[in-house]
Amino acid sequence: MALLPLVQKPLTPFPSSNFSNKPKPKTQMSLNFTRRTTLILCPTISINLLSKQQNANAFDFRITVPDQTLEEAEDGIKNHAKNLLQVKELFEGESWKEGQKALRKSSALLKQDMYTIIQAKPGKQRPELRKMYSILFNNVTKMDFAARDRNVPRVWECYDNIVIALNNLMSRLL
């Protein structure tokens, strides 16, 4: 018994197939970039796009460059902290959705105020303040998830952690 090769070339194409040796005309213009060209073009294009203010209008850079001054942040931080602690009343009344909305709003405003104040502090104090800031807002996120799941013990545990972290951070910032 003779072994047949695994891949056989068809002897003749099917009548319906269009096999021809003629090159097909190019109807589309294609760009062939080499790695070197891409390496040069990409940084150049991105620098040009980001350096022009008119092209960056669609982006919101407020978290990295706050629009508020240090004085505005210090004036607003106490009020926003008080609003954050007032969500307790909403969660006690089991107004879960309203509590989550109030929690998110007050924490976002407080976060921006604290960020502005921490950035104005000397460099040696910032790492410790950022760690406390992180603890506070991680507990805010955990409380939001616990409220979504209506996990009452977890909500109160996170609330207690928020109160402790907020008191520690406020005593250091002001």
Side-chain angles (χ1 to χ4, degrees):
M1 177 188 247
L3 295 174
L4 295 174
L6 295 176
V7 179
Q8 290 183 344
K9 209 175 194 183
L11 297 176
T12 58
F14 292 105
S16 63
S17 65
N18 292 329
F19 287 116
S20 66
N21 292 334
K22 294 180 188 176
K24 292 184 180 179
K26 291 185 178 181
T27 56
Q28 289 183 330
M29 184 177 173
S30 64
L31 299 175
N32 293 325
F33 289 116
T34 62
R35 288 184 205 159
R36 183 178 298 154
T37 307
T38 306
L39 187 64
I40 294 170
L41 284 179
C42 286
T44 308
I45 291 171
S46 62
I47 289 171
N48 286 336
L49 290 176
L50 293 176
S51 66
K52 295 180 182 177
Q53 182 63 30
Q54 63 194 15
N55 291 335
N57 287 339
F59 299 107
D60 187 10
F61 293 115
R62 272 189 241 150
I63 192 68
T64 57
V65 182
D67 289 337
Q68 65 184 158
T69 64
L70 180 61
E71 293 78 26
E72 291 172 342
E74 288 174 344
D75 290 341
I77 194 169
K78 290 180 183 177
N79 188 30
H80 296 141
K82 185 172 65 171
N83 290 341
L84 180 65
L85 295 177
Q86 286 177 350
V87 298
K88 179 180 182 178
E89 298 167 2
L90 294 169
F91 288 129
E92 284 176 341
E94 296 191 8
S95 301
W96 299 107
K97 292 288 183 190
E98 292 79 19
Q100 282 182 288
K101 288 178 186 176
L103 179 69
R104 290 175 188 154
K105 183 178 179 183
S106 60
S107 68
L109 296 171
L110 182 64
K111 191 178 231 183
Q112 186 171 357
D113 290 341
M114 286 188 173
Y115 180 82
T116 303
I117 294 171
I118 289 172
Q119 288 303 105
K121 295 289 183 183
K124 291 181 180 179
Q125 293 178 0
R126 286 186 203 160
E128 186 179 350
L129 292 172
R130 285 184 185 140
K131 181 156 178 65
M132 295 166 70
Y133 170 90
S134 175
I135 291 169
L136 171 66
F137 290 106
N138 285 341
N139 276 300
V140 168
T141 303
K142 289 175 186 176
M143 185 176 182
D144 187 31
F145 286 133
R148 181 194 64 188
D149 298 338
R150 298 177 190 209
N151 185 347
V152 177
R154 183 79 171 139
V155 167
W156 298 126
E157 176 188 340
C158 291
Y159 182 80
D160 292 338
N161 292 340
I162 289 170
V163 171
I164 293 167
L166 191 58
N167 288 335
N168 290 339
L169 199 51
M170 292 293 280
S171 66
R172 293 284 183 100
L173 291 178
L174 301 177

Short mmCIF file of all heavy atoms in Angstrom, two decimals, residues 68-100:
data_model
loop_
_atom_site.label_atom_id
_atom_site.label_comp_id
_atom_site.label_asym_id
_atom_site.label_seq_id
_atom_site.Cartn_x
_atom_site.Cartn_y
_atom_site.Cartn_z
N GLN A 68 -9.41 74.65 42.46
CA GLN A 68 -9.63 75.41 43.66
C GLN A 68 -8.31 75.77 44.34
O GLN A 68 -7.31 75.10 44.17
CB GLN A 68 -10.54 74.66 44.63
CG GLN A 68 -9.95 73.39 45.17
CD GLN A 68 -10.92 72.62 46.04
OE1 GLN A 68 -10.74 71.45 46.19
NE2 GLN A 68 -11.92 73.22 46.57
N THR A 69 -8.36 76.84 45.09
CA THR A 69 -7.17 77.28 45.83
C THR A 69 -7.14 76.59 47.17
O THR A 69 -8.12 75.96 47.60
CB THR A 69 -7.20 78.80 46.02
OG1 THR A 69 -8.33 79.13 46.84
CG2 THR A 69 -7.26 79.53 44.69
N LEU A 70 -6.04 76.75 47.87
CA LEU A 70 -5.89 76.15 49.18
C LEU A 70 -6.91 76.74 50.16
O LEU A 70 -7.49 76.01 50.96
CB LEU A 70 -4.46 76.38 49.69
CG LEU A 70 -4.12 75.82 51.06
CD1 LEU A 70 -4.28 74.30 51.06
CD2 LEU A 70 -2.70 76.19 51.45
N GLU A 71 -7.16 78.03 50.07
CA GLU A 71 -8.13 78.68 50.97
C GLU A 71 -9.54 78.15 50.73
O GLU A 71 -10.28 77.91 51.68
CB GLU A 71 -8.10 80.20 50.77
CG GLU A 71 -6.82 80.87 51.21
CD GLU A 71 -5.68 80.72 50.21
OE1 GLU A 71 -5.95 80.54 48.99
OE2 GLU A 71 -4.52 80.73 50.65
N GLU A 72 -9.91 77.95 49.47
CA GLU A 72 -11.23 77.41 49.15
C GLU A 72 -11.36 75.98 49.70
O GLU A 72 -12.42 75.61 50.22
CB GLU A 72 -11.47 77.40 47.65
CG GLU A 72 -11.62 78.78 47.03
CD GLU A 72 -11.64 78.73 45.51
OE1 GLU A 72 -11.20 77.72 44.93
OE2 GLU A 72 -12.10 79.71 44.93
N ALA A 73 -10.31 75.20 49.58
CA ALA A 73 -10.33 73.82 50.07
C ALA A 73 -10.47 73.79 51.59
O ALA A 73 -11.24 73.00 52.13
CB ALA A 73 -9.08 73.08 49.64
N GLU A 74 -9.71 74.66 52.27
CA GLU A 74 -9.79 74.69 53.73
C GLU A 74 -11.16 75.17 54.21
O GLU A 74 -11.65 74.71 55.24
CB GLU A 74 -8.68 75.58 54.29
CG GLU A 74 -7.31 74.94 54.17
CD GLU A 74 -6.19 75.87 54.58
OE1 GLU A 74 -6.40 77.09 54.69
OE2 GLU A 74 -5.06 75.36 54.80
N ASP A 75 -11.78 76.10 53.47
CA ASP A 75 -13.12 76.56 53.84
C ASP A 75 -14.17 75.47 53.64
O ASP A 75 -15.11 75.36 54.42
CB ASP A 75 -13.50 77.79 53.02
CG ASP A 75 -12.69 79.02 53.40
OD1 ASP A 75 -12.11 79.03 54.51
OD2 ASP A 75 -12.64 79.97 52.59
N GLY A 76 -14.02 74.67 52.60
CA GLY A 76 -15.04 73.68 52.27
C GLY A 76 -14.88 72.34 52.95
O GLY A 76 -15.84 71.57 53.06
N ILE A 77 -13.70 72.04 53.47
CA ILE A 77 -13.43 70.70 53.98
C ILE A 77 -14.29 70.36 55.20
O ILE A 77 -14.78 69.24 55.32
CB ILE A 77 -11.92 70.51 54.27
CG1 ILE A 77 -11.62 69.02 54.46
CG2 ILE A 77 -11.47 71.31 55.45
CD1 ILE A 77 -10.14 68.71 54.48
N LYS A 78 -14.50 71.30 56.09
CA LYS A 78 -15.29 71.02 57.29
C LYS A 78 -16.75 70.74 56.93
O LYS A 78 -17.35 69.81 57.46
CB LYS A 78 -15.20 72.19 58.27
CG LYS A 78 -13.83 72.32 58.91
CD LYS A 78 -13.78 73.47 59.86
CE LYS A 78 -12.38 73.63 60.42
NZ LYS A 78 -12.26 74.79 61.30
N ASN A 79 -17.29 71.52 56.02
CA ASN A 79 -18.67 71.32 55.60
C ASN A 79 -18.84 69.99 54.88
O ASN A 79 -19.81 69.25 55.12
CB ASN A 79 -19.12 72.48 54.71
CG ASN A 79 -20.59 72.44 54.40
OD1 ASN A 79 -21.39 71.95 55.19
ND2 ASN A 79 -20.95 72.95 53.24
N HIS A 80 -17.91 69.64 54.02
CA HIS A 80 -18.00 68.38 53.28
C HIS A 80 -17.81 67.18 54.21
O HIS A 80 -18.44 66.14 54.02
CB HIS A 80 -16.99 68.35 52.14
CG HIS A 80 -17.25 69.40 51.10
ND1 HIS A 80 -16.25 70.09 50.49
CD2 HIS A 80 -18.41 69.90 50.58
CE1 HIS A 80 -16.77 70.95 49.63
NE2 HIS A 80 -18.08 70.85 49.68
N ALA A 81 -16.95 67.33 55.21
CA ALA A 81 -16.76 66.25 56.18
C ALA A 81 -18.03 66.05 56.99
O ALA A 81 -18.43 64.92 57.27
CB ALA A 81 -15.58 66.56 57.10
N LYS A 82 -18.67 67.16 57.35
CA LYS A 82 -19.93 67.07 58.11
C LYS A 82 -21.01 66.39 57.26
O LYS A 82 -21.76 65.54 57.75
CB LYS A 82 -20.38 68.48 58.53
CG LYS A 82 -21.60 68.49 59.41
CD LYS A 82 -21.89 69.88 59.95
CE LYS A 82 -22.25 70.80 58.82
NZ LYS A 82 -22.75 72.10 59.26
N ASN A 83 -21.06 66.74 55.98
CA ASN A 83 -22.03 66.10 55.08
C ASN A 83 -21.76 64.61 54.93
O ASN A 83 -22.70 63.82 54.82
CB ASN A 83 -21.99 66.77 53.70
CG ASN A 83 -22.56 68.17 53.73
OD1 ASN A 83 -23.29 68.55 54.65
ND2 ASN A 83 -22.21 68.96 52.73
N LEU A 84 -20.49 64.24 54.92
CA LEU A 84 -20.15 62.81 54.83
C LEU A 84 -20.64 62.06 56.06
O LEU A 84 -21.17 60.95 55.94
CB LEU A 84 -18.64 62.64 54.66
CG LEU A 84 -18.13 61.20 54.55
CD1 LEU A 84 -18.66 60.54 53.29
CD2 LEU A 84 -16.62 61.17 54.56
N LEU A 85 -20.52 62.66 57.22
CA LEU A 85 -20.95 61.99 58.45
C LEU A 85 -22.48 61.98 58.58
O LEU A 85 -23.02 61.15 59.31
CB LEU A 85 -20.31 62.66 59.66
CG LEU A 85 -18.78 62.53 59.74
CD1 LEU A 85 -18.25 63.28 60.95
CD2 LEU A 85 -18.36 61.08 59.78
N GLN A 86 -23.16 62.88 57.88
CA GLN A 86 -24.63 62.93 57.96
C GLN A 86 -25.31 61.82 57.18
O GLN A 86 -26.52 61.65 57.29
CB GLN A 86 -25.13 64.29 57.49
CG GLN A 86 -24.88 65.38 58.49
CD GLN A 86 -25.33 66.75 57.99
OE1 GLN A 86 -25.66 66.91 56.81
NE2 GLN A 86 -25.33 67.72 58.88
N VAL A 87 -24.58 61.05 56.41
CA VAL A 87 -25.20 59.93 55.70
C VAL A 87 -25.67 58.86 56.67
O VAL A 87 -26.49 58.01 56.31
CB VAL A 87 -24.26 59.32 54.63
CG1 VAL A 87 -23.91 60.33 53.58
CG2 VAL A 87 -23.04 58.70 55.23
N LYS A 88 -25.19 58.94 57.89
CA LYS A 88 -25.60 57.97 58.92
C LYS A 88 -27.11 57.99 59.08
O LYS A 88 -27.75 56.95 59.20
CB LYS A 88 -24.92 58.30 60.24
CG LYS A 88 -25.29 57.37 61.37
CD LYS A 88 -24.58 57.73 62.65
CE LYS A 88 -24.93 56.75 63.75
NZ LYS A 88 -24.23 57.04 65.00
N GLU A 89 -27.70 59.20 59.07
CA GLU A 89 -29.15 59.33 59.24
C GLU A 89 -29.91 58.63 58.11
O GLU A 89 -30.94 58.01 58.36
CB GLU A 89 -29.52 60.81 59.29
CG GLU A 89 -28.90 61.55 60.46
CD GLU A 89 -29.02 63.06 60.33
OE1 GLU A 89 -29.62 63.55 59.35
OE2 GLU A 89 -28.50 63.75 61.22
N LEU A 90 -29.39 58.74 56.90
CA LEU A 90 -30.06 58.09 55.77
C LEU A 90 -29.97 56.57 55.87
O LEU A 90 -30.94 55.86 55.56
CB LEU A 90 -29.45 58.57 54.45
CG LEU A 90 -29.68 60.04 54.12
CD1 LEU A 90 -28.82 60.47 52.95
CD2 LEU A 90 -31.14 60.29 53.82
N PHE A 91 -28.83 56.07 56.30
CA PHE A 91 -28.68 54.62 56.42
C PHE A 91 -29.45 54.08 57.62
O PHE A 91 -29.90 52.94 57.59
CB PHE A 91 -27.21 54.23 56.49
CG PHE A 91 -26.49 54.39 55.18
CD1 PHE A 91 -25.31 55.09 55.10
CD2 PHE A 91 -26.99 53.83 54.01
CE1 PHE A 91 -24.64 55.24 53.90
CE2 PHE A 91 -26.34 53.97 52.81
CZ PHE A 91 -25.16 54.68 52.75
N GLU A 92 -29.60 54.89 58.68
CA GLU A 92 -30.42 54.45 59.81
C GLU A 92 -31.87 54.30 59.40
O GLU A 92 -32.58 53.43 59.87
CB GLU A 92 -30.30 55.43 60.98
CG GLU A 92 -29.00 55.29 61.74
CD GLU A 92 -28.85 56.35 62.83
OE1 GLU A 92 -29.54 57.39 62.79
OE2 GLU A 92 -28.03 56.12 63.74
N GLY A 93 -32.34 55.20 58.53
CA GLY A 93 -33.71 55.12 58.01
C GLY A 93 -33.84 54.14 56.87
O GLY A 93 -34.91 54.04 56.26
N GLU A 94 -32.77 53.42 56.57
CA GLU A 94 -32.70 52.45 55.49
C GLU A 94 -33.10 53.03 54.14
O GLU A 94 -33.74 52.39 53.32
CB GLU A 94 -33.52 51.20 55.83
CG GLU A 94 -32.95 50.46 57.03
CD GLU A 94 -33.55 49.09 57.23
OE1 GLU A 94 -34.31 48.62 56.36
OE2 GLU A 94 -33.23 48.48 58.25
N SER A 95 -32.69 54.27 53.90
CA SER A 95 -32.83 54.90 52.59
C SER A 95 -31.53 54.62 51.83
O SER A 95 -30.64 55.47 51.76
CB SER A 95 -33.05 56.41 52.74
OG SER A 95 -34.19 56.67 53.49
N TRP A 96 -31.43 53.41 51.31
CA TRP A 96 -30.17 52.94 50.75
C TRP A 96 -29.72 53.74 49.55
O TRP A 96 -28.57 54.16 49.47
CB TRP A 96 -30.28 51.46 50.40
CG TRP A 96 -30.57 50.61 51.59
CD1 TRP A 96 -31.76 49.99 51.88
CD2 TRP A 96 -29.70 50.31 52.68
NE1 TRP A 96 -31.65 49.32 53.07
CE2 TRP A 96 -30.40 49.48 53.59
CE3 TRP A 96 -28.39 50.64 52.97
CZ2 TRP A 96 -29.84 49.00 54.75
CZ3 TRP A 96 -27.82 50.16 54.14
CH2 TRP A 96 -28.56 49.35 55.01
N LYS A 97 -30.63 53.96 48.59
CA LYS A 97 -30.25 54.68 47.36
C LYS A 97 -29.88 56.13 47.66
O LYS A 97 -28.89 56.65 47.15
CB LYS A 97 -31.39 54.64 46.34
CG LYS A 97 -31.66 53.27 45.77
CD LYS A 97 -30.56 52.86 44.83
CE LYS A 97 -30.88 51.51 44.21
NZ LYS A 97 -29.77 50.96 43.48
N GLU A 98 -30.70 56.79 48.49
CA GLU A 98 -30.42 58.19 48.84
C GLU A 98 -29.12 58.29 49.64
O GLU A 98 -28.34 59.23 49.47
CB GLU A 98 -31.57 58.80 49.64
CG GLU A 98 -32.85 59.00 48.84
CD GLU A 98 -33.65 57.72 48.66
OE1 GLU A 98 -33.45 56.75 49.42
OE2 GLU A 98 -34.47 57.68 47.72
N GLY A 99 -28.89 57.31 50.51
CA GLY A 99 -27.66 57.28 51.28
C GLY A 99 -26.44 57.13 50.39
O GLY A 99 -25.42 57.79 50.59
N GLN A 100 -26.55 56.26 49.40
CA GLN A 100 -25.43 56.07 48.46
C GLN A 100 -25.17 57.34 47.66
O GLN A 100 -24.02 57.72 47.46
CB GLN A 100 -25.74 54.92 47.50
CG GLN A 100 -25.55 53.55 48.11
CD GLN A 100 -25.82 52.47 47.09
OE1 GLN A 100 -26.96 52.24 46.72
NE2 GLN A 100 -24.76 51.82 46.64
#
